[in-house]
Amino acid sequence: MKIIKFFTSSVIGTGVDFALFALLCRFLYPPAANILSAGAGMVTNFVLQRHFVFEATRSLPVSFVLSLVFSIGGIFLGSFLIFLLIQIDFFNQVPLAAKVVATGIVFFYNFHTKKFAFEKR
């Protein structure tokens, strides 16, 4: 059940991320656009996951710092994947497709690291 709630919160955060990414790609290099858009998605996800997904057994400051560190790792992982993918002509023409592939990979990284950030073992 937790992964379904995580998926739902991720869809909302990803919606914020993708909308902003599509807008920013008009003005910025796609990996740079991803850093900014994913940052907005990160904040959205933190709020939703803290309140609706995980049983927060860590203090707010600790879970925030851990979540922030892991999220930044995910943002840079996603940006690196986008950088690699846009070297391929198709993804260079359609950077949103590169974002979709990178997001799918980073989803699993985020689930496991956020679970650790919010819940003590």
Side-chain angles (χ1 to χ4, degrees):
M1 184 66 166
K2 192 175 291 187
I3 198 159
I4 292 170
K5 288 181 181 180
F6 182 80
F7 178 79
T8 303
S9 71
S10 294
V11 166
I12 295 167
T14 301
V16 170
D17 182 1
F18 272 67
L20 194 53
F21 180 79
L23 175 68
L24 292 173
C25 273
R26 295 175 182 213
F27 309 103
L28 301 172
Y29 186 53
N34 185 67
I35 290 170
L36 296 173
S37 67
M42 174 189 71
V43 171
T44 303
N45 275 330
F46 177 80
V47 171
L48 293 173
Q49 291 166 3
R50 170 86 179 159
H51 294 289
F52 302 111
V53 178
F54 296 108
E55 298 168 25
T57 56
R58 294 186 189 272
S59 70
L60 179 60
V62 170
S63 61
F64 177 76
V65 169
L66 286 172
S67 180
L68 179 66
V69 168
F70 292 137
S71 291
I72 289 171
I75 289 169
F76 283 104
L77 174 61
S79 296
F80 180 68
L81 292 170
I82 289 169
F83 170 78
L84 292 176
L85 288 167
I86 63 172
Q87 305 310 307
I88 300 166
D89 191 47
F90 169 76
F91 290 113
N92 190 39
Q93 297 298 314
V94 188
L96 202 55
K99 173 82 168 164
V100 169
V101 171
T103 299
I105 294 167
V106 173
F107 173 83
F108 293 100
Y109 163 87
N110 279 334
F111 175 73
H112 292 291
T113 58
K114 296 296 176 59
K115 186 174 180 179
F116 176 80
F118 288 111
E119 300 176 349
K120 291 181 184 177
R121 297 244 169 218

